[in-house]
Amino acid sequence: MTTDRPESANHYWYADDAGHQRGVDVLEAMRSYRAAESAMRRRSQASMGMGENDLIAMRYLLRATAEGKAVGPKELAQYLGITSASITVLLDRLEKNGHLTRQPSPFDRRALIIVPSTPSSELEAATLGDARPELLQIIDGLSDEDAETVVAFLTRMRDAVDQVDSHVFDRDERR
């Protein structure tokens, strides 16, 4: 695997280990990409007038909707790692700005589900901003097999990251 970094570069969150060099290279590339993506997200937040948790919440809701899953406030709060009071404020803000609605749950009449009302294409366009053509050009350069490999890898990584500390429950329940 070829990398643009010097072989002697320090890795601040994992040790150089010759037996795991491929893994270190992949994690380093992911870390570097994440830093660039975070900077892009901050620019998008400013352009949309949304905070980081707002965008993360909307992405989560759009993904759940696409998968046919209903999401309630408690689940979203747990995913974001925020309190029930904070999720109420976040949902109020997103609902006021027309990004979502709260609807009665079809499964439990006492519960609510959160339904995104911002079209995913609008959110994606705002999130990707001016970089979208450059990103698509890179993606278009992948073979079908490479694209499938990347998507499968990133999906498995996302699922693994989503499970880290998922056992932590709502902070209000610990009191």
Side-chain angles (χ1 to χ4, degrees), residues 16-83:
D16 274 329
D17 181 347
H20 299 286
Q21 189 59 49
R22 180 178 60 184
V24 169
D25 288 345
V26 169
L27 290 173
E28 179 64 22
M30 288 178 61
R31 185 205 59 77
S32 177
Y33 173 80
R34 185 175 178 277
E37 196 269 340
S38 292
M40 181 183 69
R41 189 177 327 130
R42 284 189 297 276
R43 294 187 303 270
S44 297
Q45 291 165 10
S47 72
M48 285 189 75
M50 296 175 87
E52 182 174 12
N53 273 350
D54 296 4
L55 281 177
I56 294 169
M58 290 305 300
R59 285 184 186 142
Y60 183 80
L61 292 170
L62 289 166
R63 186 174 76 208
T65 300
E67 294 171 357
K69 289 177 39 182
V71 176
K74 183 176 180 179
E75 177 186 345
L76 185 58
Q78 289 174 333
Y79 179 77
L80 295 172
I82 61 177
T83 65

Side-chain angles (χ1 to χ4, degrees), residues 1 10 15 18 29 35 45 65 83 98 110-111 115 125 133 136 150 166 170:
M1 173 177 277
N10 263 342
Q45 291 165 10
T65 300
T83 65
R110 298 166 296 165
V115 179
L136 291 175
V150 170
S166 65
D170 188 345

Side-chain angles (χ1 to χ4, degrees), residues 66-174:
E67 294 171 357
K69 289 177 39 182
V71 176
K74 183 176 180 179
E75 177 186 345
L76 185 58
Q78 289 174 333
Y79 179 77
L80 295 172
I82 61 177
T83 65
S84 60
S86 295
I87 196 66
T88 299
V89 171
L90 182 141
L91 293 175
D92 287 347
R93 181 175 55 250
L94 290 174
E95 189 170 40
K96 179 183 174 192
N97 292 325
H99 297 295
L100 59 81
T101 60
R102 289 179 253 203
Q103 300 176 355
S105 170
F107 314 108
D108 179 354
R109 64 186 169 140
R110 298 166 296 165
L112 293 175
I113 60 170
I114 308 161
V115 179
S117 53
T118 299
S120 60
S121 58
E122 181 183 318
L123 186 64
E124 287 170 9
T127 300
L128 295 175
D130 295 334
R132 186 174 185 171
E134 290 88 346
L135 296 176
L136 291 175
Q137 182 179 9
I138 292 167
I139 294 164
D140 288 344
L142 294 173
S143 69
D144 289 344
E145 295 79 20
D146 287 347
E148 287 177 20
T149 299
V150 170
V151 168
F153 169 75
L154 291 175
T155 300
R156 289 191 314 270
M157 290 297 288
R158 181 203 66 210
D159 291 346
V161 168
D162 278 350
Q163 293 305 311
V164 172
D165 291 334
S166 65
H167 64 283
V168 177
F169 46 89
D170 188 345
R171 292 179 187 128
D172 286 348
E173 294 176 8
R174 288 188 262 174

